[in-house]
Amino acid sequence: MTAPAPVKPVPQRGDTPAGFGVYLHWPFCKSKCPYCDFNSHVRESIDQARWRAALLADLEHAAQRSGPRQVTSVFFGGGTPSLMPAETVAAALEKIDALWGLPPGTEVTLEANPTSAEAERFAGFARAGVNRLSLGVQALDDQALKFLGRQHSAAEALAALELARAAFPRISFDLIYARPGQGAAAWQDELAAALALGPEHISLYQLTIEEGTVFHGAWRRGELVLPEEEAAAALYEDTAERLAEAGLPAYEISNHARPGGACRHNLTYWRYGDYAGIGPGAHGRLSWGGEKHATRQHRAPEAWLDLVGRQGHGWRQVEVIAAGQRLAEMVMMGLRLTDGIARDAFQAELGGGPEDLLPPDRLGRLVEEGYLELDAAGLRATAAGRQRLDALLGYLLA
Ligand SMILES: C[S@@+](CC[C@H](N)C(=O)[O-])C[C@H]1O[C@@H](n2cnc3c(N)ncnc32)[C@H](O)[C@@H]1O
Ligand code: SF4
């Protein structure tokens, strides 16, 4: 980091545009997908009462640290939160309301796997206060679903989507593309089928090979071959174009929405707002005492539960984020967004504009080469820049 980042007290940002989110992690799944390195585990039985009590205790602890905030979103992620008892979801939302306040209409998302979609469960989540469902459809092709180790067919995923539509005002679904052997034409067909479902929000992820997964072993042995970089880049470009034409432009690298349909919660991450991370392995960014903190929970589910029993919360690590690191995190998150980072946001977080905070020579070069745009509104990556974001960030923040 060559840029001198002036130290400035961190504002309490619950009432700033970046918002204040609460993330709850449910670490259990029915089965482990071979590509997934999320903190997700398969268990024969779960002591539901103990889990509920522990999540509520962890929420109380986070509120003690954060102080009063205006909650702008809640997100139940996983793992598979659609396997949670609806009473636990309801109890968590009541607790959030009691601790911080949860105004009616606040975005409350729950991630669901089509395998655990039942009308009654969805209705229970809706009654508990969930108003947005994010469904892991992953593929609309049965062979691809089998390859991805999914426990549902495409027809079951579509049925789950129908059930979700009846229960929730807002729906999103995920697809994984750039799968082995998936050509441009096949992906275009799948995308057309996805768009025909009329989504207001869709997350499209290129398959990545994560260390420690079954796919990683297969990839190392040469049994699984991903599309070449150029082919994957072409798929990405075609996808962006197609979605924009359909009225769902990308507002982030992998996320597309109709106007007004963006995920409020994820916007808080990308705009570098504060959020409480509750549950095993959850990360948080919380400001208090004029400093922003990175919080990290114990990752293993049972060890987390024991820790909450012993110390009243699951935090394993809390660190003050130094100014230079705050700048790096803000830039890494913000340049994922099509809108980039507003000048005001730089000013509020770090007390300067992008030109004061980032190395001018590198900034200038990236602008000149067409990877970044810098103007009165702020700093943003161009489409070409977003496609090579890791390399761009490596250079800009070196
Ligand atoms: C926590 S999971 C979603 C909820 C639910 N557990 C499910 O699988 O339906 C989050 C999303 O990340 C995506 N994902 C996970 N691992 C991935 C990988 N290696 N490559 C691409 N996308 C991945 C999937 O689209 C998945 O829906
Ligand atoms: S993709 Fe979803 S269902 Fe599959 S292991 Fe990961 S979190 Fe669990």
Side-chain angles (χ1 to χ4, degrees), residues 57-75:
D58 207 33
L59 278 166
E60 277 180 18
H61 170 256
Q64 279 163 19
R65 292 301 185 99
S66 77
R69 296 297 179 94
Q70 177 78 55
V71 174
T72 47
S73 63
V74 179
F75 195 101

Side-chain angles (χ1 to χ4, degrees), residues 25-26 28-42 78-81 111 113 136 138 148-150 176:
H25 190 80
W26 185 255
F28 304 116
C29 294
K30 274 195 179 163
S31 62
K32 184 79 186 173
C33 304
Y35 54 85
C36 177
D37 78 337
F38 282 72
N39 188 23
S40 60
H41 308 264
V42 179
T80 304
E111 279 182 340
N113 186 317
Q138 319 305 3
L148 292 170
R150 301 292 288 182
I176 297 179

